[in-house]
Amino acid sequence: MLYFLVDEELLVLREKIVQDYNEVSIRYLCTGRSGEYNVLFFKLNDKFYEMVSRITEIKRSHIFNKLWQKYSEKLKNEVVTMEDIFKKIWSIILDKLKLINQQFLDGEMQFNEVDMYLNMCKTDYDALEEEFMLLSRYFSGTAHLDEVTKTLAVRIRKVKRYRKLSDARQAAQAILDLQKVTGLKGDFAEVEAIKEIIGGKFESQAINSVSDDWLTAGELLKDINPKRRSCLTTFTKCFDLVTWLRESIKDEQQLKVFVDLAMISAGEDDMEIDRISCMHTSCLGFGSLIFRYRTGHGFNELIRLCQPLWQAIDANPTIDEKLVSCFN
């Protein structure tokens, strides 16, 4: 938490905040007339009192708190007054929050900025929706709440699609990298098309830019989640090991025999046993890719070879790390 150096007025205000109000006569706290109350105790002018009241309304916002921290940091070496807080923090934040909220509602916000706010919400889409609902209520009240609710639902759906498309683009790149290193000469046209359609500076696109073509393209690679993609990337990076295995060992069955013999040779050496066990798990898990791909294979054949690998990943999520340890 950031603390300011504050002037006398703010020091007095801070003391009043922690004071026990039970010891203060109500006539010093507030006055009332016609059902309305004016707070006297803090002795703030109307401008500052409104600021404090509005901060109370918005303080649950993740974006507000991040901005408050950012602009407060700029004043950390100054003696801060209420006027400083109003002009150098609050007024600036208010304008920025309004712009951020409007850009999101209009679908004009770029995805790299959306990512930043989604990360603030711990990648919780419901929390992101609540964040912008809070901001929308704050700036617009409840007059058009139904319309805002519908708009936010559309924007959140597009953000979810963007995340899936981002995964698809990275999956396409992982497959094309694997194709290149293995020298596969079959049909990868659909994967290349995905990279082309969803390519470029995707993160700099606006929410509204998510098109039907992108969504259709992303469907082809929807089963390659980040963990599976990571394993394909690991396979590519460890291709020298893959080459050695293909040249030295015929197939998975021969690999099992090789591992059994290595285990016997290891005797009671725990480190050697662990190393061989690691090789057994990882190389057999990747076995369908290591031993069965052929130069003429294309995307469809490659994905079929990946099915046993997907099962191995589900059973042992660290299988890619084990392959790397064998390679090193």
Side-chain angles (χ1 to χ4, degrees):
M1 183 179 290
L2 182 67
Y3 292 96
F4 297 122
L5 297 170
V6 297
D7 70 348
E8 186 66 28
E9 181 185 13
L10 278 171
L11 280 174
V12 172
L13 186 61
R14 181 184 293 171
E15 290 171 0
K16 287 187 173 184
I17 288 171
V18 298
Q19 185 174 341
D20 184 356
Y21 302 143
N22 292 323
E23 299 175 356
V24 183
S25 171
I26 194 168
R27 64 194 177 95
Y28 294 120
L29 292 175
C30 62
T31 60
R33 178 183 294 177
S34 302
E36 295 185 359
Y37 294 90
N38 292 319
V39 177
L40 303 175
F41 183 66
F42 295 112
K43 296 182 179 178
L44 293 173
N45 67 35
D46 291 344
K47 178 173 72 174
F48 298 149
Y49 181 73
E50 182 186 6
M51 175 183 72
V52 172
S53 299
R54 299 201 72 188
I55 288 173
T56 303
E57 296 173 28
I58 199 70
K59 65 181 181 181
R60 290 190 297 110
S61 163
H62 297 288
I63 303 173
F64 166 78
N65 283 293
K66 197 71 175 179
L67 289 172
W68 186 274
Q69 183 179 10
K70 174 183 176 180
Y71 287 98
S72 298
E73 186 74 25
K74 296 181 179 181
L75 302 182
K76 65 181 180 181
N77 296 320
E78 300 180 22
V79 176
V80 178
T81 66
M82 283 293 285
E83 188 65 31
D84 290 331
I85 293 174
F86 183 84
K87 286 185 176 180
K88 298 179 181 179
I89 302 178
W90 171 246
S91 296
I92 296 173
I93 289 176
L94 201 60
D95 290 341
K96 287 188 175 295
L97 280 175
K98 191 170 186 178
L99 178 62
I100 288 167
N101 188 58
Q102 198 59 53
Q103 284 182 330
F104 190 84
L105 289 176
D106 292 343
E108 295 174 357
M109 183 178 288
Q110 293 181 353
F111 282 119
N112 49 14
E113 190 172 355
V114 174
D115 279 337
M116 182 172 63
Y117 301 136
L118 187 57
N119 289 335
M120 286 183 195
C121 297
K122 303 185 186 304
T123 321
D124 183 333
Y125 295 102
D126 290 338
L128 183 68
E129 189 169 0
E130 288 172 11
E131 174 76 19
F132 282 100
M133 179 58 77
L134 173 63
L135 294 178
S136 297
R137 279 202 193 100
Y138 182 77
F139 288 111
S140 305
T142 58
H144 305 287
L145 201 56
D146 288 344
E147 183 181 340
V148 169
T149 301
K150 291 176 183 176
T151 300
L152 281 177
V154 172
R155 299 294 174 257
I156 295 298
R157 278 200 300 273
K158 289 208 169 190
V159 171
K160 288 179 179 178
R161 288 171 179 173
Y162 151 70
R163 277 297 178 107
K164 289 181 179 178
L165 290 169
S166 182
D167 287 344
R169 183 185 63 166
Q170 293 177 68
Q173 186 62 60
I175 288 171
L176 293 175
D177 289 343
L178 189 151
Q179 178 208 11
K180 182 178 180 180
V181 77
T182 54
L184 300 183
K185 301 186 184 304
D187 185 4
F188 284 85
E190 288 182 292
V191 183
E192 290 167 351
I194 289 173
K195 187 184 174 186
E196 184 69 26
I197 292 169
I198 316 176
K201 296 182 178 179
F202 185 46
E203 292 81 2
S204 64
Q205 300 293 322
I207 296 172
N208 282 338
S209 66
V210 176
S211 68
D212 291 339
D213 286 344
W214 288 8
L215 298 177
T216 303
E219 282 295 304
L220 182 68
L221 301 177
K222 65 181 181 181
D223 291 334
I224 304 180
N225 59 34
K227 186 61 189 178
R228 292 175 176 181
R229 182 184 74 234
S230 174
C231 286
L232 294 179
T233 301
T234 298
F235 179 88
T236 300
K237 289 179 178 177
C238 297
F239 195 68
D240 285 346
L241 173 62
V242 172
T243 301
W244 177 81
L245 287 168
R246 284 172 65 89
E247 291 174 350
S248 306
I249 299 171
K250 181 181 178 181
D251 53 27
E252 290 108 314
Q253 188 59 42
Q254 200 173 87
L255 176 62
K256 290 178 183 178
V257 174
F258 174 81
V259 169
D260 288 342
L261 292 173
M263 279 290 192
I264 294 170
S265 300
E268 297 182 0
D269 187 333
D270 290 341
M271 288 185 64
E272 189 66 12
I273 290 172
D274 286 345
R275 191 177 70 82
I276 295 168
S277 177
C278 186
M279 180 179 181
H280 177 265
T281 302
S282 60
C283 292
L284 281 180
F286 281 89
S288 57
L289 269 184
I290 293 173
F291 297 107
R292 299 185 211 169
Y293 80 79
R294 299 294 179 263
T295 307
H297 283 168
F299 171 71
N300 291 329
E301 293 86 358
L302 178 63
I303 288 299
R304 279 196 290 272
L305 291 179
C306 285
Q307 297 309 310
L309 174 58
W310 300 160
Q311 294 173 13
I313 293 168
D314 292 341
N316 191 338
T318 61
I319 193 171
D320 53 336
E321 297 171 20
K322 288 182 169 65
L323 188 68
V324 170
S325 68
C326 292
F327 181 61
N328 294 333

